[in-house]
Amino acid sequence: RYMEIYRTGNGNDINSIANQLSLDNSYQIKYKDNMIVLTTGMPLSFGYSRSSLYSGLRSNLNYAGYAQIEFNYKILSIQGGLRYEMGGVDKQFIYSAPVFRGGINLHVATATWLRASWGQGFRVPSIGEKYVSSDFADGLLVIPNDTLHPEHGWNMEVGIRQGMKIGNWIAGADVCVFYQQYTNFIEMQLGVYPNAYSNGGPIFPASLEFPPNSGELLGLRGSNVAEARIAGYEVGFKSGGPLGPITLNLMAGYTYTWPTQVLLNAEGKNTYSLGQDLSDMFKYTYTRITDPYTQSKLLYWRLRHMVKADVEIDYWKAYFGFDLNYGTVPEKIPPLFQAASTVLFGNGNAIQNYLSTRTHGDYWIDARAGFKINSKARLGVIVTNLTNRFYELRPGIPEAPRRYAIQFRYTF
């Protein structure tokens, strides 16, 4: 796969171009009627780009080798794999330690499955996080951080899926709990930072410093959080069947997330134990956090509750459906956001005024309708943000207003 994105400059800045080449390959061997399946591969991705948001020509490279073995016997399925990944941005090249993943799935009854998985992860900082420098607004900047370290982490999940059938009506429910832990977690944070790269050279002219000629900048910059934890649970439901001349399909899900960071004392020791962290996850499930100490444990910008529902009705060759989405608003916002709000909107209370009207969260609705011409072709209309509601998933960044799209699909 090769993709090129080209943007013509407006006369004051240069033309921007981004090129990305990806090669994804795998080789699979199956033994004994799929009782043993071996899968290997060596994916490769290379890109280079030039932009008015950073200086020079920047490149990125990622490649890896992996192998996975799967064992299937009657009601039991076990998978295990090993991956070694390498990546870099410009002249900085980073080798990961080997990362492992494994999982087990047990078919314990006719329509009941139990599963568990564990895996490690590794991510190199992007070109944007390390090098993008932009005057986002008058006095508020996007600041590069060329000292970012790569993220390392692991995650685990335990779940159960239960199916059922009543007449011609089929339904299924899925429940799982998950836990993720990261070291050097990368998070965009608003703050005041030195106007200098790691080599001492200035990032922006002194006139853009906050205040001017102070050597400091006000803006958003990618930073490494020493350690981050994300725990939670998810409940999903899927159902479908005939109701007279129509067919009704329903999917719904709820996700609760508890995103925290490890708090360190002056000696660098962890003052927020895992046990206390998980206890707080249940203690504050349905309580909006307002006290500063508890808020200090959270990661910035995160939504803790998310509900999604999808309903579709099919009649003859026509279909109509809609998505309902609901999410709570973040409880932890960078302290300097009020200063940024003054710069962006001319009102230091703009963000707080908005949040005060969304204390119970916010929602948006998408809709779709169409006609199935035949088994291969369909014509449809998609409307996002059907009610044209003003909402923000991240304070200060409004989502798009109502949009219409006409779509024709043909399957070969």
Side-chain angles (χ1 to χ4, degrees), residues 31 33 38 143 154 171-172 217 239 262 273 289 342 366 369 394 412:
Y31 297 96
D33 259 349
L38 176 65
I143 305 169
W154 60 270
L217 302 171
S239 180
V262 171
S273 68
I289 299 171
T342 302
D366 302 330
R394 283 200 171 190
F412 294 91

Side-chain angles (χ1 to χ4, degrees), residues 29-137:
I29 306 173
K30 300 178 180 180
Y31 297 96
K32 304 281 186 181
D33 259 349
N34 293 338
M35 186 171 74
I36 298 176
V37 181
L38 176 65
T39 306
T40 63
M42 295 185 66
L44 168 69
S45 176
F46 172 74
Y48 65 92
S49 58
R50 179 175 58 246
S51 173
S52 59
L53 300 178
Y54 49 82
S55 61
L57 186 68
R58 303 293 181 180
S59 63
N60 65 82
L61 174 66
N62 289 88
Y63 59 94
Y66 67 88
Q68 174 181 289
I69 189 167
E70 180 178 341
F71 175 77
N72 303 293
Y73 183 71
K74 295 184 178 179
I75 66 170
L76 178 66
S77 177
I78 302 175
Q79 306 90 31
L82 170 68
R83 180 183 179 99
Y84 187 78
E85 187 167 342
M86 293 141 281
V89 176
D90 287 349
K91 297 180 180 180
Q92 183 182 15
F93 209 73
I94 301 169
Y95 297 84
S96 77
V99 293
F100 299 87
R101 67 178 297 269
I104 183 171
N105 193 304
L106 191 62
H107 192 178
V108 296
T110 303
T112 306
W113 292 263
L114 297 175
R115 69 181 185 276
S117 63
W118 182 88
Q120 296 173 303
F122 168 81
R123 186 175 81 87
V124 176
S126 68
I127 288 178
E129 291 165 333
K130 289 178 69 72
Y131 296 115
V132 165
S133 57
S134 174
D135 186 359
F136 180 68

Side-chain angles (χ1 to χ4, degrees), residues 178-295:
F178 57 87
Y179 177 80
Q180 303 167 347
Q181 186 162 315
Y182 297 91
T183 301
N184 287 328
F185 185 72
I186 298 174
E187 184 176 59
M188 294 300 291
Q189 296 187 351
L190 179 68
V192 176
Y193 303 98
N195 183 20
Y197 288 106
S198 59
N199 62 8
I203 303 173
F204 291 98
S207 59
L208 292 179
E209 293 175 351
F210 182 78
N213 302 306
S214 65
E216 304 287 338
L217 302 171
L218 172 65
L220 289 165
R221 189 181 79 160
S223 302
N224 288 115
V225 177
E227 190 172 306
R229 302 170 179 150
I230 301 175
Y233 54 85
E234 190 169 55
V235 179
F237 177 79
K238 183 177 181 181
S239 180
L243 289 175
I246 69 172
T247 300
L248 176 65
N249 293 293
L250 169 67
M251 290 188 296
Y254 164 71
T255 303
Y256 171 65
T257 305
W258 179 249
T260 61
Q261 58 181 327
V262 171
L263 302 180
L264 305 177
N265 59 19
E267 290 76 33
K269 294 182 179 180
N270 179 10
T271 62
Y272 192 30
S273 68
L274 177 59
Q276 183 62 51
D277 194 355
L278 296 179
S279 175
D280 287 347
M281 179 180 77
F282 293 101
K283 177 181 178 181
Y284 295 105
T285 299
Y286 302 111
T287 303
R288 184 162 178 82
I289 299 171
T290 57
D291 67 279
Y293 176 69
T294 306
Q295 281 188 353

